[in-house]
Amino acid sequence: MTDSGRDGCADTEASADGGRIDATYIQRWREDVSACLARLLPGFEARFGYPPGRHTIGGPAGEEEVASMANTCPPGDLLAWYREVREVCLPDVGNGFFVHDPGLVARREVTAVRGRCAEEVVVFASDGGGTLFAMEAVSGSPVYRLPAGEVVAGVYRSDNQRFDVVADDLAGFLDRQRDAVEEFVATGTAVDL
């Protein structure tokens, strides 16, 4: 994306987290999670009593899709992710795990959080239980867990104890998700983030 597509955004294309989110990291994450799914899906119905949904780790988002997020001011590490993975859909891992596609990120309902912290945010992921995951528009920012709460004029408000930082940065969040997938495949037990 060009700098003009990021006017008014504080972050730059460079990742402030020391480059933890790069093509090598993303490829390794994709391989690890794909290997877990290859162990999970055969025999899934016999193990859990229902057929599995469609599990996908998408290819790169198109430049138009990435550009559509310009008004959300996505951080550079999230942009790096989308240049390699458009979306993640794991409906049967725990209660589900989803990294939203750029179009859904661009149509965001939540633009800020208030309560345990007060930040402008970009919601980029969710689980199947109504919890959203968001980060500030700065690379290396923490990832917040937003359980079901009130949203008024784009502002999420909650005093719920689960509204908290779930990871120090995007890579930490993705690491926790990969670990949760591995745990679910090994034990059938959902790990709550």
Side-chain angles (χ1 to χ4, degrees), residues 42-129:
F44 182 93
E45 187 169 4
R47 182 177 180 190
F48 294 100
Y50 59 92
R54 185 169 173 249
H55 294 76
T56 59
I57 302 172
E63 279 303 312
E64 287 182 16
E65 287 182 294
V66 173
S68 75
M69 298 188 311
N71 291 336
T72 67
C73 294
D77 45 4
L78 190 58
L79 289 172
W81 172 263
Y82 282 126
R83 287 194 173 99
E84 300 292 329
V85 178
R86 180 180 180 270
E87 68 181 328
V88 175
C89 182
L90 306 174
D92 298 308
V93 175
N95 67 348
F97 168 65
F98 310 91
V99 175
H100 304 161
D101 68 73
L104 187 55
V105 173
R107 293 186 304 272
R108 63 191 183 152
E109 284 183 42
V110 176
T111 59
V113 295
R114 303 290 184 267
R116 298 185 62 140
C117 64
E119 303 293 343
E120 304 301 312
V121 297
V122 176
V123 173
F124 68 95
S126 62
D127 69 14

Side-chain angles (χ1 to χ4, degrees), residues 132-152:
L132 301 175
F133 298 95
M135 57 192 304
E136 299 167 40
V138 178
S139 287
S141 78
V143 175
Y144 300 98
R145 177 191 320 118
L146 312 178
E150 175 185 53
V151 178
V152 176

Side-chain angles (χ1 to χ4, degrees), residues 174-190:
L174 293 168
D175 289 346
R176 287 189 63 173
Q177 286 301 324
R178 181 199 56 229
D179 295 347
V181 172
E182 290 173 353
E183 179 72 16
F184 184 76
V185 170
T187 68
T189 302

